[in-house]
C-alpha cells in the first residue's frame, strides 16, 4: 500500500501524463503502487518511449553563437560528457550527433572538432578516423617530417601512432603506459 501522503501527488502526476516509472522516481514510490493507482483511475499506460533517439536528442540541445550546440541533458558525473539514455541504452550525445550528420555510427570515439568542449553540433563532430586524417593533412601543410614506423619504445606506429590537434605525432601505447604508471593522488 502506498504512503497515504503520496497518493494525491501521484494522482496529479498521473493526470499530467507521466509514466509510472517517472512518478515512482519523482515521489520515491514503488512503481507497482503507481500502476495500481493508474488502474483505479482508469488511465491507460504511457508509451515507453514514443520518440526516436534522434528526436529525443534534438529536445536536449540549445543553439549557441557560431553554429555550436550545447547539451542541456544528462552528463557523466566526473568528465561532464553529454549523455542520453533511450530505451535502456546509454549513448554519448556526440555519438548521436555523428549519426545524424553521417548516417552511420562513428569509427572510434566521437568528439567535436570545433574547439568548443562538449559541443554537440552534428557538423562539428568527427570520429577518430576523420580526426586522424585531418591531422595528417595538417602535418603535410605544415611540412612536418614523416612519422617514424616505430616510437622510441618500439611500438608499431601503424597501430599505435596518433596525431594531436596541432598535428604533432605521439604514441598512444606510450601515453597509456604513462597514465597507468603515474601515481593517483
Amino acid at each position: 500500500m502506498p504512503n497515504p501522503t503520496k497518493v494525491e501527488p501521484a494522482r496529479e502526476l498521473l493526470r499530467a501524463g507521466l509514466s509510472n516509472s517517472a512518478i515512482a522516481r519523482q515521489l520515491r514510490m514503488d512503481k507497482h503502487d503507481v500502476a495500481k493507482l493508474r488502474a483505479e483511475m482508469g488511465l491507460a499506460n504511457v508509451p515507453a518511449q514514443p520518440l526516436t533517439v534522434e528526436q529525443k536528442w534534438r529536445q536536449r540541445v540549445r543553439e549557441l553563437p557560431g553554429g555550436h550546440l550545447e547539451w542541456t541533458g544528462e552528463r557523466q558525473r566526473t568528465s561532464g560528457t553529454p549523455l542520453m539514455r533511450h530505451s535502456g541504452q546509454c549513448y554519448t550525445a556526440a555519438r548521436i550527433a555523428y549519426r545524424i550528420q553521417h548516417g552511420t555510427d562513428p569509427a572510434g570515439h566521437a568528439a567535436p572538432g570545433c574547439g568548443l568542449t562538449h559541443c554537440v553540433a552534428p557538423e562539428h563532430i568527427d570520429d577518430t578516423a576523420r580526426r586522424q586524417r585531418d591531422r595528417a593533412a595538417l602535418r603535410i601543410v605544415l611540412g612536418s617530417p614523416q612519422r617514424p614506423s616505430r616510437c622510441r619504445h618500439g611500438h608499431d606506429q601503424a597501430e599505435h601512432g596518433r596525431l594531436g590537434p596541432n598535428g604533432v605525432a605521439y604514441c598512444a601505447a606510450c601515453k597509456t603506459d604513462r597514465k597507468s604508471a603515474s601515481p593517483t593522488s
Side-chain angles (χ1 to χ4, degrees):
M1 188 60 158
N3 180 332
T5 62
K6 295 182 179 184
V7 171
E8 195 49 44
R11 286 185 179 168
E12 287 177 30
L13 293 173
L14 284 165
R15 283 190 281 275
L18 273 71
S19 70
N20 296 355
S21 295
I23 295 168
R25 272 191 310 274
Q26 188 172 334
L27 298 178
R28 296 178 188 221
M29 293 177 67
D30 185 283
K31 67 181 177 182
H32 298 99
D33 289 338
V34 179
K36 289 175 189 171
L37 288 173
R38 179 181 296 280
E40 287 173 13
M41 295 172 68
L43 297 173
N45 281 324
V46 176
Q49 180 52 262
L51 302 175
T52 66
V53 171
E54 291 82 6
Q55 290 169 330
K56 186 173 178 182
W57 179 90
R58 283 187 177 88
Q59 290 183 336
R60 286 158 176 75
V61 296
R62 178 176 44 226
E63 288 186 38
L64 295 175
H68 302 289
L69 287 179
E70 177 183 38
W71 185 251
T72 62
E74 177 184 358
R75 290 182 180 268
Q76 201 277 336
R77 204 177 353 216
T78 54
S79 68
T81 300
L83 298 176
M84 188 181 85
R85 297 174 198 283
H86 183 272
S87 299
Q89 295 278 78
C90 186
Y91 303 90
T92 65
R95 187 170 192 79
I96 298 167
Y98 185 91
R99 188 186 309 162
I100 289 169
Q101 182 68 19
H102 300 285
T104 63
D105 284 329
H109 180 68
C114 61
L116 181 65
T117 305
H118 300 310
C119 175
V120 294
E123 50 281 350
H124 295 182
I125 303 296
D126 290 327
D127 63 358
T128 301
R130 279 179 191 273
R131 281 192 302 281
Q132 292 302 304
R133 182 202 63 212
D134 293 349
R135 291 170 182 179
L138 177 62
R139 281 181 67 82
I140 292 168
V141 169
L142 295 175
S144 299
Q146 184 90 11
R147 190 170 67 198
S149 61
R150 297 204 168 272
C151 76
R152 66 182 183 184
H153 297 288
H155 298 117
D156 181 2
Q157 293 304 284
E159 180 182 350
H160 301 290
R162 302 288 188 279
L163 300 171
N166 56 359
V168 174
Y170 70 93
C171 177
C174 289
K175 185 176 181 180
T176 301
D177 291 346
R178 278 191 308 274
K179 280 185 176 181
S180 63
S182 70
T184 56
S185 41

